[in-house]
Amino acid sequence: MSSAPLEPDANALDAQTGVVVAVRGSVVDMRFAAGLPPIYSLLRTGPTGQIVIEVLVQRDARHVRGIALTPTQGLARGMCVENTGGPLKAPVGKTILSRMFNVFGDTIDREPALSDSDIAWRSVHRAPPALTQRSTHAEVFVTGIKVIDVLAPLERGGKAGLFGGAGVGKTVLLTEMIHNMVGHQEGVSIFCGIGERSREGEELYREMKAAGVLPNMVMLFGQMNEPPGARFRIGHAALTMAEYFRDDQHRDVLLLIDNIFRFIQAGSEVSGLMGQMPSRLGYQPTMGSELAGLEERIANTDKGAITSIQAVYVPADDFTDPAAVHTFGHLSASIVLSRKRASEGLYPAIDPLQSSSKMATPGIVGERHYLLAQAIRRTLAQYAQLKDIIAMLGIEQLSQEDRNVVARARRLERFLTQPFFTTEQFTGLTGKLVSLEEALDGCERILADEFKDLPESALYMIGAVDEAYAKQRGATATPRARAAREEKHGSDQHES
């Protein structure tokens, strides 16, 4: 700043009190005459102490620089700063279930505030579990969604990413997983909204309440209208709560993060505000270590497991973007959403060829499942190669063998669609939960050409494969019934 900072009144200061000397948006410089607060200390200032600042840099023997976790309107040089004596903390305890929180642990669901006697407060800055505490047992986490369970099975205690651009269905898929898993798993779900729309948070809360799954759920939100500091720390607060249920309550936790890219984006904003030199494509130079600090706390231990499913926004659908590349490295399963499949109405719009999982090996999922998944991928890959020929010359120019491959692939694509419980009000279709055995059985029978005489549409948006026969009977019965009614109506008129 061009003007000289105000000098603090030394008589007014003690070891816990400082003075604001500069304000640059969300970045605040403060002077402490007697002892600097440690890194990550939480400071309070403002006319009523409502402005909260986290210390990130000790500039010299007297000055610290911090990032505001709240808006800085009304903050001015010369205001007193109080050191709270500790870092940002999150509430833990059984009573946090069914509640909605902000980054400070305050309830934001318009329900009565939590009593301090029922909760404890823990620092959000915690180390990941030691290697000796981690479990090495690999176990599949079944979701009830066909295309995920068959082609990209999730790992219990692992991390799965939902990759996709804007509007391809990441949040809808996350919401469906919450509905399926909370209803069928004896665990706790924690939903962490990072930098997403406030409307989505309100809708999710209402839907979970209506579905009756809120009693085993905790929600935290650092929405896109909040300062970058709050969005950057909300993920750490959610993990602190998840670690409590895993380590103290010995329960399995499903941690859903929407959206991990916004965490990286918030870190980039904080880094830029703090004056750090940007790295590739403008990202912060510390992106790798910041993301690892969050992701490595998500682990499977001998006490319980934190299974994480994270939506990852991919800027401009570019999977070589550093944010997407760094996130890929932490995941045990990658579920890639395709805009092309969404435009064709194939929901969930998961690309079966780009999606992958390290669990899809014979030693974990079994020989039959592995070979079936490989056969499905091979069939869909052959179809993808034949699409150009079909577009230029028509399907009639293909050999009979290639035509059979196309028919199988198109039926597989439609069978891997599924009506969701959370979209019933929009589609009018009843949601389906499909077991892994039913999904494998359906794919196996389609590859064996059992449904070659049925139209492709009979396999679209169904649950188990046998529903295709009932759907086809309903479709063929309708014209006949209509003709019979018209014939009866004509004979009644003739008699009259």
Side-chain angles (χ1 to χ4, degrees), residues 105-393:
D106 301 325
T107 53
I108 53 173
D109 51 9
R110 298 182 183 176
E111 300 288 330
L114 293 174
S115 167
D116 284 339
S117 60
D118 296 330
I119 57 173
W121 292 85
R122 292 185 182 174
S123 168
V124 302
H125 304 282
R126 298 168 65 85
L131 288 174
T132 53
Q133 297 176 334
R134 294 180 182 240
S135 171
T136 56
H137 178 64
E139 187 180 337
V140 173
F141 197 82
V142 179
T143 65
I145 298 171
K146 289 180 284 192
V147 65
I148 294 176
D149 291 341
V150 172
L151 296 174
L154 306 187
E155 178 187 10
R156 177 181 174 269
K159 296 177 275 283
L162 296 180
F163 290 83
V168 293
K170 295 185 299 298
T171 303
V172 170
L173 195 53
L174 273 185
T175 310
E176 183 70 7
M177 287 183 181
I178 295 171
H179 182 280
N180 289 0
M181 292 185 207
V182 173
H184 296 84
Q185 305 281 341
E186 293 293 325
V188 177
S189 268
I190 296 180
F191 183 91
C192 177
I194 306 178
E196 289 296 296
R197 303 166 188 84
S198 301
R199 168 185 59 78
E200 290 180 347
E202 188 274 332
E203 286 177 356
L204 182 66
Y205 179 78
R206 196 159 20 88
E207 287 168 8
M208 294 301 105
K209 196 169 186 177
V213 297
L214 208 55
N216 285 314
M217 206 172 167
V218 185
M219 293 186 179
L220 295 97
F221 290 99
Q223 300 298 74
M224 59 170 55
N225 62 317
E226 297 188 31
R231 286 182 271 128
F232 189 54
R233 289 295 176 221
I234 191 70
H236 298 91
L239 267 166
T240 302
M241 293 181 179
E243 287 165 344
Y244 162 79
F245 287 110
R246 180 192 66 193
D247 300 335
D248 293 38
Q249 298 290 313
H250 298 178
R251 297 175 72 176
D252 282 359
V253 182
L254 177 66
L255 174 64
L256 301 118
I257 301 176
D258 188 14
N259 186 301
I260 202 70
F261 172 78
R262 305 295 179 197
F263 167 77
I264 295 172
Q265 193 177 49
S268 179
E269 289 182 50
V270 170
S271 175
L273 287 166
M274 298 299 289
Q276 292 180 341
M277 182 70 71
S279 182
R280 184 171 164 234
L281 294 186
Y283 287 106
Q284 65 271 38
T286 52
M287 176 171 67
S289 57
E290 287 171 359
L291 186 61
L294 186 77
E295 296 281 8
E296 285 302 300
R297 291 171 64 182
I298 302 168
N300 189 359
T301 70
D302 48 8
K303 296 178 180 177
I306 300 175
T307 303
S308 175
I309 301 170
Q310 309 166 7
V312 187
Y313 167 70
V314 181
D317 292 344
D318 178 15
F319 284 89
T320 64
D321 187 90
V325 170
H326 275 75
T327 307
F328 263 119
H330 292 280
L331 303 175
S332 55
S334 301
I335 299 166
V336 179
L337 296 171
S338 160
R339 194 175 302 280
K340 186 172 183 299
R341 291 178 71 82
S343 67
E344 293 171 358
L346 300 173
Y347 288 102
I350 294 170
D351 190 322
L353 298 179
Q354 282 192 288
S355 302
S356 62
S357 169
K358 74 172 191 180
M359 303 296 287
T361 61
I364 297 174
V365 298
E367 193 77 24
R368 177 188 174 227
H369 185 165
Y370 172 75
L371 293 175
L372 202 50
Q374 292 296 95
I376 293 166
R377 288 181 189 277
R378 191 163 50 248
T379 304
L380 294 175
Q382 287 176 284
Y383 176 44
Q385 291 173 343
L386 293 169
K387 279 183 178 177
D388 288 341
I389 299 174
I390 296 169
M392 289 186 292
L393 304 175

